[in-house]
Amino acid sequence: MINMNGTFSGSPRSLVFILFLNLILLQSSFAQPLPTKPDTVHTTVLPSPVDSPAAGQAASDPFAFGDFSWLNGTSRKTSPPAFDSKYFTGDITFDFNYTHSYNRPIDNTVVGSTALARNNELQLSFLGVGGDIHVNNVRGRIMMQFGTRSTVVPRNDGSSYKGQYDLQTIYRYISEAYGGYHWDVWHGINLDAGIFMSYIGLFSYNNFENWGYQPSYTSDNTPWFFNGLRLQTFPSDKLKVELWLINGWQSYGMFNHSPGAGVSIYYRPTEKVDYIFNNYYGKDDQGAPNRYRVHLDYSYERRYINRPEAKFLTKAAFSLTMDFGFENGNGVTPFGKTDAKTKAVLPAQNFISGMLYNRFWFGKRWAFNFGGGYMHNPGQYLVLAPTGYADTLFQQQTGPGSTFDAWDYSTTLDYMPSQNITLKLEFVHRAVVDIGPAPGTPALKGYFAGPGGVTSPSGFANTGTYTYTSSGASIAPPLSSWGGWMPDMVKSESRIILAFLVRF
């Protein structure tokens, strides 16, 4: 438990185990031993005309009793896959975006996002090509990725710098790759090994499945993927319990000598409600082998209007996500305290965040949503590191004792002429209230890219004394070589995003 002085007594693994064990026992009365071969909860489902689980099709496959295409972070498609056969079901996504920052950075660089990379340019963010393989009870999924996300996401994994063989290069073009086996027990049991999506933070990695395009901090600063083992169990058609044994927190490798572990619980008692409970434990800090991380990510989604035949407002829903986490050990505590023996001040290291979104549907082609969130992260251990020379300054000031508080809001208009195409027009405002340095380190003036950019005085990476690797990647010279120029970092940004998404 967490004591009043901020310490944590008892095993964190035991805490996580008790949390999900109680939930399993609470919902165990729904279990029915019907054989199926389900995939994850984010698969396509067929629509049900009403909210009753008994209506429409038989409740054999997990979550197949209703239409959950309204959920944030789940595919809205209810039509059959475009490429399907006995042994393979294809999945292809094209995600293009154009974004304009009112800060107008000279180098067109976006800071603090995994969905965006470049300003004032049409960019391919994500080309996902792959699908699901299914031969009897043997299963697998492969999803190759190309575009800016193949650089923007892997760069946030510090575990790849441990040892040799450049894990970022090895894995950057793979978003999902796992193989496993299915058992016809309960409503299905799956055991998979490889790289799979985490869904901590509610939003999907595939923006075709999300209400908005730029996620709030709760989603953008938590894992998109895990590398390891997962066991999916479906005791009933309304409940999924998934266990993880993984290398770590969105990491290709392992920071220390202890794997990460977690449990994810999805419960959907009716077609209009979704409960999500994600719990994680691991040791994910370089140079701090005895520091452990606990993270709880809970979401609630509810559809409160469903009038398919209405002429104007046909559907409305909201999603609420709350996260709480902390780190403890090797000089930090969850909430800060003074060591009784040494009298040294042990700084706080925690993560408290939330986000709330509301969405309205107008017929089948139009939707509008608005929302936002906040993030409080003393220790900055989940803050996305800026790029360019801004990263140099960020790394100098981050660590125990540093602070980070930020908030954002967004509005999004969707036009969906078919189930395969979505056009998004989004306005986003993000602001950092406080970004304080660790004791004895220089402070930053901001976090987002300002007009001067973060690359060089001219904005280009082929000027000055930049050098290049054999693959063509640029290596920045020391910041001091620019004669006093510094990256321009500001505390807020507003931007417009135009996205074109196609999925088959």
Side-chain angles (χ1 to χ4, degrees), residues 75 106 141 349 494:
S75 178
I106 192 174
R141 179 171 175 84
Q349 201 124 308
S494 296

Side-chain angles (χ1 to χ4, degrees), residues 135-265:
V135 181
N136 297 322
N137 286 56
V138 180
R139 51 186 256 128
R141 179 171 175 84
I142 175 68
M143 184 58 61
M144 306 300 294
Q145 68 170 0
F146 305 94
T148 58
R149 291 202 114 180
S150 63
T151 294
V152 172
V153 173
R155 70 174 291 271
N156 296 311
D157 174 22
S159 74
S160 61
Y161 298 109
K162 182 179 181 180
Q164 301 296 315
Y165 303 119
D166 192 2
L167 293 180
Q168 288 191 22
T169 298
I170 291 171
Y171 287 119
R172 72 170 61 253
Y173 299 112
I174 300 173
S175 62
E176 296 177 83
Y178 61 80
Y181 193 82
H182 169 85
W183 286 271
D184 293 323
V185 178
W186 293 335
H187 288 250
I189 296 178
N190 303 318
L191 178 62
D192 301 315
I195 299 175
F196 51 90
M197 298 290 99
S198 81
Y199 290 99
I200 289 181
L202 187 63
F203 274 57
S204 169
Y205 187 75
N206 188 328
N207 255 329
F208 188 88
E209 301 181 346
N210 297 326
W211 292 355
Y213 195 85
Q214 169 59 53
S216 186
Y217 301 100
T218 300
S219 183
D220 221 12
N221 290 259
T222 51
W224 289 118
F225 68 86
F226 290 138
N227 192 359
L229 298 172
R230 73 175 178 186
L231 178 67
Q232 296 179 319
T233 67
F234 298 87
S236 83
D237 65 342
K238 303 178 181 67
L239 176 66
K240 183 191 80 163
V241 178
E242 180 174 307
L243 306 178
W244 308 320
L245 184 63
I246 52 182
N247 286 343
W249 180 271
Q250 188 172 288
S251 60
Y252 296 123
M254 192 179 296
F255 279 99
N256 298 296
H257 298 289
S258 175
V263 58
S264 176
I265 300 171

Side-chain angles (χ1 to χ4, degrees), residues 392-451:
T392 302
L393 301 183
F394 179 83
Q395 300 300 339
Q396 290 175 357
Q397 60 83 50
T398 193
S402 60
T403 58
F404 189 88
D405 290 277
W407 60 274
D408 64 71
Y409 68 86
S410 64
T411 61
T412 310
L413 177 66
D414 282 6
Y415 175 58
M416 302 163 286
S418 79
Q419 290 212 343
N420 300 97
I421 298 177
T422 301
L423 283 82
K424 289 182 177 288
L425 178 62
E426 183 168 289
F427 174 80
V428 184
H429 178 77
R430 300 190 293 170
V432 172
V433 178
D434 174 55
I435 180 167
T441 64
L444 293 178
K445 294 183 178 180
Y447 175 72
F448 304 104

